[in-house]
Coordinates of all heavy atoms in Angstrom, one line a residue:
L198 N 18.9 8.4 15.7 CA 18.4 9.3 16.8 C 17.9 8.4 17.9 O 18.1 8.7 19.1 CB 17.2 10.2 16.3 CG 17.7 11.3 15.4 CD1 16.4 12.2 15.0 CD2 18.7 12.2 16.1
R199 N 17.2 7.2 17.6 CA 16.7 6.3 18.6 C 17.8 5.5 19.2 O 17.8 5.1 20.4 CB 15.7 5.4 18.0 CG 15.2 4.4 19.0 CD 13.9 3.6 18.6 NE 13.8 3.4 17.1 CZ 12.6 3.0 16.5 NH1 11.6 2.8 17.3 NH2 12.6 2.8 15.2
H200 N 18.9 5.2 18.4 CA 20.0 4.4 18.9 C 21.3 5.1 18.5 O 22.0 4.9 17.6 CB 20.1 3.0 18.3 CG 18.8 2.2 18.5 ND1 17.8 2.1 17.6 CD2 18.5 1.4 19.6 CE1 16.9 1.2 18.1 NE2 17.3 0.9 19.2
P201 N 21.6 6.2 19.4 CA 22.8 7.1 19.0 C 24.1 6.4 18.9 O 25.0 6.7 18.2 CB 22.8 8.2 20.0 CG 22.0 7.6 21.2 CD 20.9 6.7 20.5
Q202 N 24.3 5.2 19.6 CA 25.5 4.5 19.6 C 25.7 3.9 18.1 O 26.9 3.7 17.8 CB 25.6 3.4 20.6 CG 24.5 2.3 20.6 CD 23.3 2.7 21.4 OE1 22.6 3.7 21.2 NE2 23.0 1.8 22.3
I203 N 24.7 3.7 17.4 CA 24.8 3.2 16.0 C 25.5 4.2 15.2 O 26.4 4.0 14.4 CB 23.5 2.8 15.4 CG1 22.9 1.5 16.1 CG2 23.5 2.6 13.9 CD1 21.6 1.0 15.6
G204 N 24.9 5.5 15.2 CA 25.5 6.6 14.5 C 27.0 6.7 14.8 O 27.8 7.0 14.0
S205 N 27.3 6.7 16.2 CA 28.7 6.9 16.6 C 29.6 5.8 16.1 O 30.7 6.1 15.6 CB 28.7 7.0 18.2 OG 28.0 8.0 18.6
S206 N 29.1 4.6 16.1 CA 29.9 3.5 15.7 C 30.1 3.5 14.2 O 31.3 3.3 13.7 CB 29.3 2.2 16.2 OG 30.1 1.1 15.7
W207 N 29.0 3.9 13.5 CA 29.2 4.0 12.0 C 30.1 5.0 11.6 O 31.0 4.8 10.8 CB 27.8 4.4 11.4 CG 27.8 4.9 10.0 CD1 28.0 4.1 8.9 CD2 27.9 6.2 9.6 NE1 28.1 4.9 7.8 CE2 28.0 6.2 8.2 CE3 27.9 7.5 10.3 CZ2 28.1 7.4 7.4 CZ3 27.9 8.6 9.5 CH2 28.1 8.6 8.1
Y208 N 30.1 6.2 12.3 CA 31.1 7.3 12.0 C 32.5 6.8 12.3 O 33.4 7.1 11.5 CB 30.7 8.5 12.6 CG 31.5 9.7 12.1 CD1 31.2 10.3 10.9 CD2 32.7 10.2 12.8 CE1 32.0 11.4 10.4 CE2 33.5 11.2 12.2 CZ 33.1 11.8 11.1 OH 33.9 12.8 10.6
A209 N 32.7 6.4 13.4 CA 34.0 5.9 13.9 C 34.7 4.9 13.0 O 35.8 4.9 12.6 CB 34.0 5.5 15.3
N210 N 33.8 3.8 12.6 CA 34.4 2.7 11.8 C 34.3 3.0 10.4 O 35.0 2.3 9.6 CB 33.6 1.4 12.1 CG 33.9 0.9 13.6 OD1 35.0 0.4 13.8 ND2 32.9 1.1 14.5
G211 N 33.4 4.0 9.9 CA 33.3 4.3 8.5 C 34.0 5.5 8.1 O 35.3 5.5 7.9
P212 N 33.4 6.7 8.1 CA 34.0 7.9 7.6 C 35.4 8.2 8.3 O 36.3 8.5 7.7 CB 33.0 8.9 7.8 CG 31.7 8.2 7.6 CD 31.9 6.9 8.3
A213 N 35.3 8.2 9.6 CA 36.5 8.6 10.3 C 37.8 7.6 10.0 O 38.9 8.1 9.9 CB 36.3 8.7 11.8
A214 N 37.4 6.3 9.9 CA 38.5 5.4 9.6 C 39.0 5.5 8.2 O 40.3 5.5 8.0 CB 37.9 3.9 9.8
T215 N 38.1 5.8 7.2 CA 38.7 6.0 5.8 C 39.3 7.3 5.7 O 40.3 7.4 4.9 CB 37.5 5.9 4.8 OG1 36.3 6.7 5.3 CG2 37.0 4.4 4.8
H216 N 38.9 8.4 6.4 CA 39.6 9.6 6.4 C 41.0 9.4 6.9 O 42.0 10.0 6.3 CB 38.9 10.7 7.3 CG 37.6 11.2 6.9 ND1 36.7 11.7 7.7 CD2 37.0 11.0 5.6 CE1 35.6 12.0 7.0 NE2 35.7 11.6 5.8
A217 N 41.1 8.6 7.9 CA 42.5 8.4 8.5 C 43.4 7.7 7.6 O 44.6 8.0 7.5 CB 42.4 7.7 9.8
I218 N 42.9 6.6 6.8 CA 43.6 6.0 5.8 C 44.2 6.9 4.8 O 45.5 6.9 4.4 CB 42.9 4.9 5.2 CG1 42.5 3.7 6.2 CG2 43.6 4.2 3.9 CD1 41.4 2.8 5.7
L219 N 43.4 7.8 4.3 CA 43.8 8.7 3.3 C 44.8 9.8 3.8 O 45.7 10.2 3.1 CB 42.6 9.4 2.6 CG 42.9 10.2 1.4 CD1 43.7 9.5 0.3 CD2 41.6 10.8 0.8
E220 N 44.5 10.3 5.1 CA 45.4 11.3 5.7 C 46.8 10.7 5.8 O 47.8 11.3 5.6 CB 44.8 11.6 7.1 CG 45.7 12.6 7.8 CD 45.2 12.9 9.2 OE1 44.1 12.5 9.5 OE2 46.0 13.5 9.9
R221 N 46.9 9.4 6.2 CA 48.2 8.8 6.4 C 48.9 8.8 5.0 O 50.1 9.0 4.9 CB 48.2 7.4 7.0 CG 47.8 7.4 8.4 CD 48.0 6.0 9.0 NE 47.1 5.0 8.5 CZ 45.9 4.7 9.0 NH1 45.5 5.4 10.0 NH2 45.2 3.7 8.5
F222 N 48.2 8.4 4.0 CA 48.8 8.3 2.7 C 49.3 9.8 2.2 O 50.4 9.9 1.7 CB 47.7 7.8 1.6 CG 48.2 7.9 0.2 CD1 49.3 7.2 -0.4 CD2 47.6 8.9 -0.6 CE1 49.7 7.3 -1.6 CE2 48.0 9.0 -1.9 CZ 49.0 8.2 -2.4
L223 N 48.5 10.8 2.5 CA 48.8 12.2 2.1 C 50.1 12.7 2.9 O 50.9 13.4 2.3 CB 47.6 13.1 2.3 CG 46.5 12.8 1.3 CD1 45.3 13.7 1.6 CD2 46.9 13.0 -0.2

């Protein structure tokens, strides 16, 4: 909440990136 860019970067490089890897495989 204090540093919203951290949350955005974490989501983009973490969950969103891993979702994309699995989506390509499926």
Side-chain angles (χ1 to χ4, degrees):
L198 290 180
R199 176 165 35 191
H200 300 98
Q202 58 269 60
I203 288 176
S205 298
S206 182
W207 164 81
Y208 189 79
N210 289 284
T215 52
H216 295 162
I218 292 167
L219 187 52
E220 179 186 347
R221 287 194 295 272
F222 172 70
L223 293 174

